[in-house]
Amino acid sequence: MGEILQINHLEKSFGDHAVLRDINFSVQQGDVICIIGSSGSGKSTLLRCINFLEQPTGGQILYHGKDAATAWKRTLYNSKVGMVFQSFNLFGNLSVLENCVLGQMQVLKARRPEAEQRALEYLEKVGMAAYRQARPAQLSGGQKQRVAIARALCMEPEVLLFDEPTSALDPEMVGEVLSVMQRLAAAGMTMLIVTHEMSFARDVASRVLFMDGGVIVEDAPPAQLFSAPQQPRTQEFLKRVLERQL
């Protein structure tokens, strides 16, 4: 398995406020890395910096050993390092199918028949092919998020970044989205997932990063991190959260 991403000394500040401080980790092909921590710990900002939705203040992101900021065309990089947002970010004026076709044609320069075929394949995988002609306003939150995942997959990414993909959903819809993500993990999709779903992180992740105060406090396999966390801050966070969730 090869290394896809290497994050070196990543920093992000907003004015005088340091949100990320000296972040270092790598992403290997097939990794499922769950990023956990309290609100405000820097988790979402980390994903947004990796995808260049936020410009890092310092450090470097390497994609296949080359500087992602300078050596790769941004549209190509963002198609290979895809993002699924908490708030879906679907185009409300387009059908489900068109939402999945548009990026392929504009960025990948795919021909429409090929783009539609790929879109239908991925909509089928997430259980949304029957809704191909629906508009986002006609869908539930869970259905919208499954379409957003299909849209990201249509770009044939190497890595998918998920920014709290279930936090905007009603509790009964969380399971349908997590089951799609679980199937992606089982199929070998490389994923970085910011999540508050501890059971999912424990059962599906290959590694868990615990963030606090803009730093990675602990980086370990889930069995180790959840059963024997090494750092006091990790222990305190898990004690507080697991009492509510597990």
Side-chain angles (χ1 to χ4, degrees):
M1 293 202 297
E3 183 179 272
I4 300 175
L5 291 171
Q6 176 73 45
I7 315 301
N8 294 329
H9 307 294
L10 193 69
E11 309 266 348
K12 178 62 182 178
S13 295
F14 294 99
D16 294 331
H17 178 51
V19 179
L20 299 176
R21 296 180 288 152
D22 198 27
I23 300 289
N24 298 277
F25 69 99
S26 64
V27 181
Q28 306 288 323
Q29 184 180 350
D31 276 350
V32 178
I33 299 174
C34 283
I35 305 169
I36 64 172
S38 300
S39 295
S41 59
K43 307 181 303 295
S44 292
T45 301
L46 172 58
L47 286 198
R48 293 176 68 83
C49 284
I50 291 172
N51 200 244
F52 292 102
L53 291 167
E54 297 285 356
Q55 195 63 35
T57 310
Q60 191 178 44
I61 299 164
L62 300 180
Y63 173 62
H64 289 292
K66 297 179 182 178
D67 190 331
T70 59
W72 299 95
K73 190 176 179 183
R74 184 58 48 83
T75 52
L76 174 64
Y77 176 78
N78 284 352
S79 70
K80 292 302 181 186
V81 182
M83 187 106 167
V84 176
F85 298 90
Q86 168 180 341
S87 54
F88 325 126
N89 285 21
L90 298 174
F91 296 109
N93 61 326
L94 298 180
S95 69
V96 163
L97 183 63
E98 287 299 318
N99 264 280
C100 294
V101 163
L102 185 64
Q104 296 183 65
M105 294 181 66
Q106 289 191 346
V107 177
L108 303 182
K109 307 303 180 188
R111 293 169 58 249
R112 175 166 283 276
E114 172 193 334
E116 287 191 0
Q117 181 181 350
R118 185 182 291 156
L120 288 170
E121 285 173 8
Y122 283 117
L123 287 169
E124 187 71 45
K125 283 188 176 182
V126 301
M128 290 300 296
Y131 297 86
R132 69 193 74 169
Q133 298 305 332
R135 297 291 176 95
Q138 299 171 292
L139 304 177
S140 70
Q143 289 171 329
K144 289 176 188 174
Q145 194 59 289
R146 284 188 282 156
V147 171
I149 293 171
R151 179 178 64 178
L153 290 170
C154 282
M155 303 301 286
E156 303 284 300
E158 277 195 274
V159 184
L160 266 185
L161 313 177
F162 291 84
D163 186 10
E164 300 191 32
T166 60
S167 66
L169 303 180
D170 293 332
E172 64 269 20
M173 297 174 188
V174 169
E176 66 186 62
V177 173
L178 292 181
S179 67
V180 168
M181 295 168 65
Q182 195 156 4
R183 292 199 302 273
L184 290 175
M189 186 75 214
T190 307
M191 300 189 285
L192 269 71
I193 305 162
V194 169
T195 185
H196 292 291
E197 301 290 337
M198 296 299 125
S199 296
F200 177 83
R202 184 189 59 187
D203 295 342
V204 179
S206 53
R207 280 163 59 204
V208 179
L209 308 185
F210 169 63
M211 291 186 68
D212 186 55
V215 301
I216 295 175
V217 175
E218 200 155 346
D219 177 353
Q224 177 184 319
L225 189 129
F226 285 105
S227 63
Q230 301 298 299
Q231 301 299 321
R233 281 189 286 175
T234 318
Q235 295 165 8
E236 180 187 343
F237 170 79
L238 290 175
K239 183 175 187 297
R240 190 171 68 246
V241 171
L242 295 179
E243 283 173 355
R244 296 199 304 264
Q245 286 199 18
L246 296 179

